[in-house]
Amino acid sequence: MDQTVKSRIEIIQGDITKQSPDAIVNAANCSLLGGGGVDGAIHRAAGPELLEECRTLGGCKTGQAKITKGYKLPAKFVIHTPGPVWHGGKQNEEALLNSCYVSCLTLASENGCKTVDFPSISTGVYHFPLDKAAKIAISAIAGYMSRHPEIERVRMVCFDARTKEYYENALENLK
Ligand code: APR
């Protein structure tokens, strides 16, 4: 992977609801009606209008993504994607996780977003192993960005130091 693409990807530790890229990604569930973890945090910070808009979307399939406004969030848009639940790796989980990142970035491009922040999709309640998830995420993001200069910057916003380390390593070792 050429250095310019890698230089457009950043790994930070923080709370994604406080960031102000064009779009933040929500690790949602297929109902899109909110939940715990980062989903709960995003809905709390965005306010009730987010849920109102989500109710109109009719849910979302695992690996796909849907976009809403950001309402009270500093980010203009929220891109909601249900990640795969880890069941041991034999139920297409890796391909579905890759698809989450590509689907979100595709929606970001279609909506004129230049900067996108992701949480670590599926590595919380959905128990996707962090080392595998980080490699899949970074590879999917870098692959997309190498073909899409319109996405100027993607950040992984990691909630804790351990998660950040895995994503930093994945970026460091990206071929
Ligand atoms: N900012 C950034 N990252 C966060 C935040 C936050 N405010 N809050 C939690 N995280 C991190 C978690 O620490 C974890 O690393 O997001 C990552 C994803 O964890 P989850 O939120 O549990 O998401 P996931 O594993 O994809 O499970 C999704 O959980 O909350 C429910 O409705 C959601 O059913 C869905 C499921």
Side-chain angles (χ1 to χ4, degrees):
M1 186 59 61
D2 73 72
Q3 278 310 320
T4 49
V5 172
K6 287 178 83 165
S7 68
R8 290 158 53 203
I9 301 172
E10 294 171 22
I11 316 293
I12 65 168
Q13 184 172 341
D15 176 345
I16 200 165
T17 67
K18 304 258 188 297
Q19 310 304 321
S20 40
D22 293 334
I24 63 168
V25 172
N26 179 22
N29 59 60
C30 293
S31 75
L32 295 188
L33 299 180
V38 69
D39 193 3
I42 287 173
H43 275 273
R44 275 192 299 280
E49 293 168 294
L50 178 60
L51 182 57
E52 273 169 44
E53 184 174 359
C54 284
R55 283 194 205 289
T56 68
L57 299 177
C60 186
K61 287 196 177 69
T62 299
Q64 297 185 10
K66 291 195 177 175
I67 193 165
T68 66
K69 296 191 202 71
Y71 299 105
K72 294 194 174 67
L73 286 161
K76 220 166 120 202
F77 295 104
V78 181
I79 299 176
H80 306 260
T81 187
V85 178
W86 181 256
H87 291 296
K90 301 220 175 359
Q91 296 187 20
N92 209 25
E93 295 98 322
E94 301 204 9
L96 285 168
L97 185 62
N98 177 77
S99 171
C100 285
Y101 287 92
V102 174
S103 302
C104 290
L105 290 169
T106 303
L107 266 183
S109 296
E110 288 169 358
N111 286 274
C113 300
K114 296 188 168 60
T115 55
V116 183
D117 284 4
F118 283 95
S120 174
I121 299 170
S122 281
T123 65
V125 164
Y126 283 1
H127 297 302
F128 205 112
L130 194 42
D131 57 331
K132 292 183 192 302
K135 288 188 190 113
I136 292 165
I138 295 298
S139 165
I141 290 164
Y144 185 91
M145 291 177 86
S146 65
R147 299 187 303 275
H148 290 271
E150 76 277 10
I151 302 288
E152 292 172 2
R153 186 199 74 198
V154 169
R155 290 192 306 194
M156 289 306 307
V157 182
C158 303
F159 208 40
D160 56 70
R162 176 172 172 269
T163 301
K164 180 168 180 276
E165 213 176 306
Y166 276 95
Y167 281 88
E168 282 172 337
N169 291 342
L171 183 59
E172 191 55 42
N173 300 323
L174 182 68
K175 298 274 177 297

